[in-house]
Amino acid sequence: MHLMALCGLPLRPGPSRRVLIKTLLIMKFLAIFMLAVCMHVSATGYSQRISLTVKNASIEKVFREIRRQSGYNFVYTKQLLQDARKVNLHVENAPLEKALAECFRNQPFTYAILENTVILKPAVAAPPP
């Protein structure tokens, strides 16, 4: 009611009031629709896709290629990579997490992702039962 008084429109019901209500409903719908579209674009914009095929490659070479494709940096020590096994990897348009999971399978270390950085850490051995 206050909006109509501010707009200088008559307060009595009639065709002009229906037009105003219809316009406001359309504006609300468009605002919600635009918010949903922006949220969707934001969600898909951050997913990184990796395509990589290597055979018997060093883990450092795989890290360099993933960094080139995704922009993620890797933090590790040379001592940690001394026990690393060679990597056979084939991923096509896969999310970064899947590519990293394949890369770190059967390796003596694991990883954690913090913002745009992949941090390597030694794998924790399972305690004996």
Side-chain angles (χ1 to χ4, degrees):
M1 196 63 110
H2 297 291
L3 179 64
M4 292 172 39
L6 289 174
C7 295
L9 297 173
L11 297 177
R12 60 181 165 75
S16 62
R17 181 179 175 149
R18 276 187 246 137
V19 170
L20 178 65
I21 291 173
K22 190 174 183 178
T23 303
L24 289 175
L25 285 175
I26 290 172
M27 288 173 55
K28 285 181 186 179
F29 172 74
L30 286 175
I32 292 170
F33 178 73
M34 292 300 293
L35 178 67
V37 167
C38 290
M39 294 295 283
H40 178 69
V41 169
S42 174
T44 59
Y46 288 116
S47 66
Q48 296 291 329
R49 298 302 216 172
I50 305 296
S51 294
L52 182 61
T53 301
V54 293
K55 279 194 171 189
N56 209 20
S58 71
I59 194 100
E60 289 180 283
K61 180 180 178 183
V62 175
F63 291 164
R64 280 193 301 269
E65 186 61 28
I66 292 175
R67 181 173 186 255
R68 186 184 67 77
Q69 290 186 26
S70 68
Y72 277 65
N73 295 313
F74 288 83
V75 176
Y76 54 88
T77 61
K78 290 288 185 184
Q79 293 91 3
L80 190 62
L81 293 187
Q82 285 177 349
D83 298 330
R85 297 179 183 100
K86 297 288 185 178
V87 177
N88 293 323
L89 184 65
H90 176 73
V91 289
E92 191 102 11
N93 200 22
L96 176 68
E97 290 81 13
K98 182 181 178 194
L100 289 175
E102 290 291 320
C103 179
F104 288 112
R105 189 170 6 118
N106 300 326
Q107 294 290 349
F109 42 82
T110 186
Y111 69 96
I113 299 177
L114 182 65
E115 294 182 16
N116 283 353
T117 306
V118 179
I119 303 169
L120 273 65
K121 52 188 177 181
V124 178

